[in-house]
Amino acid sequence: MKKTQSASIHDVARQAGVSTGTVSNVLSGKRPVAPATRARVEAAIEALRYQPNLLASALVSQRSRVLSIVVSELRDLGYYGYLSALEGIQHRANELGYSLMLHFVRSTDPEGIRRLLDTVNGRKSDGILWAIHESSGSHRWVDQIALSAYPPMVFLNMHPNPALDVVTVNNVGGAKLAVAHLAAQGAKRIGLVAGPEGWWESEMRRQGWQAALLEAGLEPAASLTAAGDWSAESGKIAMRQLLANRPELDAVFCSNDIMALGALHTIVSLGRTVPHQILLAGFDDTPEASSFCPALTSVRQDLTGLGEAAVNLLQERIYPQDETGSQPRQILIEPELVIRDSSRRG
Amino acid sequence: MKKTQSASIHDVARQAGVSTGTVSNVLSGKRPVAPATRARVEAAIEALRYQPNLLASALVSQRSRVLSIVVSELRDLGYYGYLSALEGIQHRANELGYSLMLHFVRSTDPEGIRRLLDTVNGRKSDGILWAIHESSGSHRWVDQIALSAYPPMVFLNMHPNPALDVVTVNNVGGAKLAVAHLAAQGAKRIGLVAGPEGWWESEMRRQGWQAALLEAGLEPAASLTAAGDWSAESGKIAMRQLLANRPELDAVFCSNDIMALGALHTIVSLGRTVPHQILLAGFDDTPEASSFCPALTSVRQDLTGLGEAAVNLLQERIYPQDETGSQPRQILIEPELVIRDSSRRG
DNA sequence: TTGTATGCGTTATCAA
DNA sequence: TTGATAACGCATACAA
C-alpha cells in the first residue's frame, strides 16, 4: 500500500523493465549503462515525471547537498550588507549544486549555540556558514564546543582566528582609507561615529580611524568619538553629541552609511553644511550612498566575493583535495574607497 | 562497519538495553513508556549526545518539518521589505518547529519554475512560501502548472487570486492614504514617482494615487507621473523628469522610500525645498525614513505580520483541521500612514 | 509496556 | 552491463 504521491525509483524501474540499481546508475552516471536501456529508463522518468527523493539519497550517501547559513536577527542582514554576502553564497552554492538552509540564533551562550548546532546537525547539512557578527562574547563558544562533532564550518566577518576558517573584510584598512582621505582633504579635527561597543567591526573601524589620525599627526581624543547602534536614528544622536563636545569639528567618519545618513540629518538641522564646513565619510557603500545630499563618500567591500570565497572554502573542507591544504585558512578581503561629494572641499 | 560519526537510535537502544522502538517512543511521546525505562533511555541519550537524524525521520514519516521560501534576487529582500516578511516567517516557523530552506528563482518561465518546484519537491518540503514580487508574467505559470503535484503553497504580496492562498498588503489603499493626505495639506498638483512598469505593486500604488486625486477633484494627468526601478538613483532621474514636465508641482508621492530619497536629492539640488515648496511622501516606512532631511512621511505595512499570517495559513494547509476551511483564502493586510515633516506645511 | 519486523526511497556491493 | 540484496536511521503495526 503506497502512501506517497510522487513516483519513486521503483516505479521507474518497473515501467522501464529494469532494476532500481540501473535507474540509479542512469541518474548518477557513475556506472556505464547500455544506450538502449538508458533510453528506456529516461523515457520512464519522463513519463512518470520522476523526481529523486533527495532525503533518501542523503540518508544512504551521507551527503545532503545542503549548506546551512547561521544568522542572528534578520535586521542584521538589511543593515550590514550581509545580504550581499548572502548573494555571493547563494550564487556559488547553486553552482555547486547545494541547497541552502537558514538558521537563526537567539542566544549566543554555549548552551544556545549547542542547541542550534544540534538541529543543524540533525538536518545533516554538509557544511555551515557562520554569518553572525562578532560582538562581546558572541563567539566565545568556539573554544568551549568541540567543533569536530559538527560539519565543517566557515566563519564570516569575525576576528581572524588561526584555529578557524574565516573569511573577513579588512575593516581596519577600510576605515584607515576613509580617514586618511579626510585628512588629506585638510581636515584637522576628524570625529568618529562608532558602531556599538563590543562589536568587532566597530572596534576595528575605530582602530582604523585612530591609526589614520596618528599617521596624520592628529590626536585621536576620546571627545572626538561617539557611538551609535548602526541605525540612522542613533547616527543622529551621536552626531548631536559630537557637535556639542567639539563644535570645531571639520570632518566625521561614520562606521556605516546608515549612521552617516543620520549624522547628515543632524548636521543640516544644526545649520551646518557638508562638505563646506564638515567633511563626511561612511562605510559599506550601500546603493543609496550616492543619493544622499550630498552624495556620500564611503568604503566599499566586496561582500558578494566574500560570500563566494566562503562557499569555496567550505567546499574544500567538505571534499578535501589534498592533505597539505587542511590547515585552517583566514581570508582577508580588501575594501576600497569610493570618493563622492561629501568629502570634497568645494 | 559504521561510517557515521554521530550516535544513532540503535546505539542509544543498545546502551539503555531496550529496543529502538522504545527509544523512538520516549522521544516522540506518542506511546506510554515506563518511568524506569524512560530514565534509562534518557540517560543513554544524554551520554551519547544523541541527536535524531531528521532526514531518516522525514523519510519514514513523510513529514520533513521544513518550509521552503522561494525568492528571486536577493536585492529584492533589501529593497522592498521582504526582509521584514522573512522575519515574521522565521519567527512563526520556529515556533511551529520548522526549519527554513531558501530557494532562488532565476527564470520565471514555466520551465524554469517547474525545475525549481521539482528541486523543492525533491527536498520534500512540507510547504512553500512564494515570496516573489509579481511583475509582468512572473506568475503566469500558476495557470499552467498543476499545483496539486507539489506541497501546499502560500503566495506573498501578489494580486489576490481566488484560486490561490494569498497574503497581501493593500497597496491601493496605502497609496490612497498618502496621496489623500497630501491633498488635504492643500496640494493641487501631486506628482507620482511610480515603480517599474509591469510590477503589480507599482500598478496598485499608481491606482491608489489616481483614485485619491479623483476623489480630491484633481486630474491624474500622465504628465504628473514618471517611473523608476525602486532604486534611489532612479528616483533622482524620475524627479528630474517630473520637474521638467511640470515645474509647478507642489507635492510628490513616491512608490517607495528609497526612490523618495533620490527624489529629495533632486529637489534640493534644483534649489527647491521640502516641505515648503514641495510636499513629499513615500511608501514602506523603512527605518531610515525618519532620518531623511526632512523626515519622510510614509506608508507603513506590517510585513512581519504578513509573514506570520502566511506561515499560519500554510500550517493549516499542511495539517487541515476541518473540511470546511479548505477553500483558498486571500488575506489582506491594511497599511497605515506615518506623517512626518516632509508633508507638513511649515 | 515493550520487542520484532517491515518499509520509507535511495545508493552501493557483490554476483551473475 | 545488469540484477539482487543489504544498508542508511527512523517510525509504526503487530505480536508478545
Side-chain angles (χ1 to χ4, degrees):
Chain A
M1 163 122 65
K2 303 199 72 68
K3 289 171 194 167
T4 38
Q5 304 287 349
S6 37
S8 80
I9 200 170
H10 289 105
D11 303 322
V12 175
R14 194 174 317 119
Q15 171 110 3
V18 297
S19 73
T20 62
T22 303
V23 176
S24 179
N25 291 336
V26 168
L27 281 136
S28 68
K30 288 192 179 175
R31 306 181 142 284
V33 174
T37 45
R38 152 161 319 214
R40 285 216 315 286
V41 169
E42 280 170 347
I45 288 176
E46 196 59 31
L48 298 173
R49 290 208 55 76
Y50 165 68
Q51 190 63 27
N53 182 330
L54 270 8
L55 257 42
S57 166
L59 185 59
V60 55
S61 70
Q62 308 282 9
R63 290 261 113 111
S64 65
R65 307 297 313 174
V66 168
L67 259 31
S68 278
I69 305 178
V70 179
V71 299
S72 57
E73 308 162 47
L74 267 169
R75 287 273 153 230
D76 287 3
L77 287 175
Y79 276 174
Y80 312 113
Y82 278 96
L83 215 57
S84 314
L86 196 48
E87 192 158 340
I89 291 172
Q90 178 270 320
H91 180 244
R92 189 69 185 120
N94 182 69
E95 283 180 348
L96 295 173
Y98 288 103
S99 291
L100 256 29
M101 297 210 64
L102 212 47
H103 294 270
F104 296 83
V105 164
R106 323 203 113 60
S107 80
T108 54
D109 62 279
E111 216 22 68
I113 299 288
R114 203 189 300 272
R115 262 200 310 278
L116 179 93
L117 284 176
D118 281 346
T119 54
V120 172
N121 203 26
R123 296 273 179 207
K124 298 297 160 196
S125 299
D126 287 344
I128 302 178
L129 292 153
W130 202 263
I132 296 191
H133 59 261
E134 184 174 11
S135 57
S136 40
S138 72
H139 286 50
R140 202 174 293 150
W141 60 270
V142 297
D143 298 323
Q144 304 175 33
I145 293 182
L147 264 53
S148 58
Y150 301 101
M153 226 177 277
V154 169
F155 294 82
L156 274 64
N157 251 342
M158 67 169 277
H159 191 71
N161 179 330
L164 268 26
D165 285 309
V166 179
V167 184
T168 290
V169 169
N170 183 352
N171 281 281
V172 179
K176 239 178 108 169
L177 234 44
V179 177
H181 162 70
L182 295 177
Q185 296 292 303
K188 296 293 176 207
R189 306 221 145 63
I190 307 177
L192 168 73
V193 173
E197 202 163 341
W199 280 56
W200 174 71
E201 277 149 312
S202 303
E203 189 45 42
M204 292 303 105
R205 292 171 193 182
R206 178 194 295 271
Q207 280 182 23
W209 167 80
Q210 186 167 330
L213 283 200
L214 291 175
E215 282 188 13
L218 305 171
E219 200 209 342
S223 62
L224 284 170
T225 75
D229 63 6
W230 301 122
S231 75
E233 203 55 45
S234 76
K236 278 189 196 171
I237 297 169
M239 192 67 216
R240 205 140 43 209
Q241 182 187 332
L242 234 44
L243 282 174
N245 285 350
R246 305 287 296 253
E248 81 283 16
L249 228 53
D250 58 3
V252 176
F253 167 63
C254 297
S255 291
N256 75 345
D257 287 358
I258 309 283
M259 292 196 297
L261 181 65
L264 210 47
H265 185 103
T266 292
I267 294 173
V268 170
S269 70
L270 292 180
R272 311 249 198 144
T273 62
V274 174
H276 308 93
Q277 297 169 23
I278 298 182
L279 301 176
L280 198 65
F283 202 112
D284 280 349
D285 191 37
T286 59
E288 292 74 40
S290 62
S291 293
F292 289 7
C293 308
L296 184 72
T297 291
S298 188
V299 179
R300 172 180 300 168
Q301 356 175 30
D302 178 15
L303 293 168
T304 306
L306 182 146
E308 290 179 353
V311 174
N312 285 334
L313 184 48
L314 199 50
Q315 171 77 347
E316 223 177 285
R317 296 299 174 232
I318 298 172
Y319 298 98
Q321 300 290 350
D322 197 343
E323 288 307 304
T324 63
S326 62
Q327 292 301 316
R329 276 231 298 276
Q330 290 79 44
I331 298 177
L332 203 61
I333 308 270
E334 289 299 332
E336 58 179 311
L337 184 65
V338 180
I339 300 176
R340 300 203 181 85
D341 289 345
S342 72
S343 70
R344 275 197 276 248
R345 283 263 185 252
Chain B
M1 161 121 67
K2 303 200 71 71
K3 289 172 195 165
T4 39
Q5 303 287 349
S6 36
S8 79
I9 199 168
H10 289 104
D11 303 323
V12 176
R14 195 173 316 120
Q15 170 109 3
V18 299
S19 74
T20 62
T22 304
V23 176
S24 179
N25 291 336
V26 168
L27 282 137
S28 69
K30 288 194 180 176
R31 305 179 143 286
V33 175
T37 44
R38 151 163 320 217
R40 286 217 313 289
V41 169
E42 279 169 347
I45 287 176
E46 195 61 31
L48 298 172
R49 292 207 55 75
Y50 166 69
Q51 189 63 28
N53 183 330
L54 270 10
L55 258 40
S57 166
L59 185 59
V60 55
S61 70
Q62 308 283 12
R63 289 262 112 111
S64 65
R65 304 299 310 174
V66 168
L67 260 29
S68 279
I69 305 178
V70 179
V71 299
S72 57
E73 307 162 48
L74 267 168
R75 287 274 153 229
D76 287 2
L77 288 175
Y79 276 174
Y80 313 114
Y82 278 96
L83 215 57
S84 314
L86 197 47
E87 192 158 342
I89 291 173
Q90 177 272 317
H91 180 246
R92 189 68 186 122
N94 182 69
E95 283 180 348
L96 294 174
Y98 288 103
S99 290
L100 254 29
M101 299 210 64
L102 212 47
H103 294 270
F104 297 84
V105 164
R106 321 203 113 61
S107 80
T108 54
D109 62 278
E111 215 24 67
I113 298 289
R114 203 190 301 271
R115 263 200 311 277
L116 178 94
L117 284 176
D118 281 345
T119 55
V120 172
N121 202 27
R123 297 270 178 210
K124 298 298 158 195
S125 300
D126 287 345
I128 303 178
L129 292 154
W130 202 263
I132 296 190
H133 59 259
E134 183 174 12
S135 57
S136 41
S138 72
H139 285 52
R140 201 173 296 150
W141 61 270
V142 297
D143 298 323
Q144 304 174 33
I145 294 181
L147 264 52
S148 58
Y150 301 101
M153 227 177 277
V154 169
F155 294 81
L156 274 64
N157 249 343
M158 67 169 277
H159 191 71
N161 177 331
L164 304 173
D165 285 310
V166 178
V167 184
T168 291
V169 169
N170 183 352
N171 280 282
V172 178
K176 238 178 109 170
L177 235 45
V179 176
H181 162 69
L182 295 176
Q185 295 292 304
K188 297 292 175 208
R189 305 224 146 63
I190 307 177
L192 168 73
V193 173
E197 201 164 342
W199 281 55
W200 175 71
E201 276 149 312
S202 302
E203 189 44 41
M204 293 303 107
R205 291 172 193 180
R206 177 194 295 271
Q207 280 182 20
W209 167 79
Q210 186 167 329
L213 283 200
L214 290 175
E215 282 188 12
L218 305 171
E219 201 209 341
S223 62
L224 283 169
T225 75
D229 63 6
W230 302 123
S231 76
E233 204 54 47
S234 75
K236 280 189 195 173
I237 296 168
M239 192 66 216
R240 204 141 42 210
Q241 183 187 332
L242 234 43
L243 282 174
N245 285 349
R246 305 287 294 250
E248 81 281 18
L249 228 54
D250 58 4
V252 176
F253 167 63
C254 297
S255 293
N256 75 343
D257 288 358
I258 309 283
M259 291 197 296
L261 181 65
L264 210 48
H265 185 102
T266 291
I267 294 172
V268 170
S269 70
L270 291 180
R272 312 252 196 142
T273 61
V274 174
H276 308 93
Q277 296 170 25
I278 299 182
L279 301 176
L280 199 65
F283 201 112
D284 279 350
D285 192 37
T286 59
E288 292 72 40
S290 62
S291 293
F292 289 6
C293 306
L296 184 72
T297 291
S298 189
V299 179
R300 172 180 299 168
Q301 356 175 29
D302 179 14
L303 292 168
T304 307
L306 182 146
E308 291 180 351
V311 174
N312 285 336
L313 184 47
L314 200 48
Q315 171 76 349
E316 224 177 284
R317 294 301 173 232
I318 298 172
Y319 298 98
Q321 301 289 352
D322 198 343
E323 288 306 306
T324 64
S326 62
Q327 291 302 315
R329 275 231 298 274
Q330 290 81 45
I331 298 178
L332 204 60
I333 309 268
E334 288 300 331
E336 58 179 311
L337 185 65
V338 180
I339 299 176
R340 300 203 181 85
D341 288 346
S342 71
S343 70
R344 275 196 277 249
R345 282 266 184 249

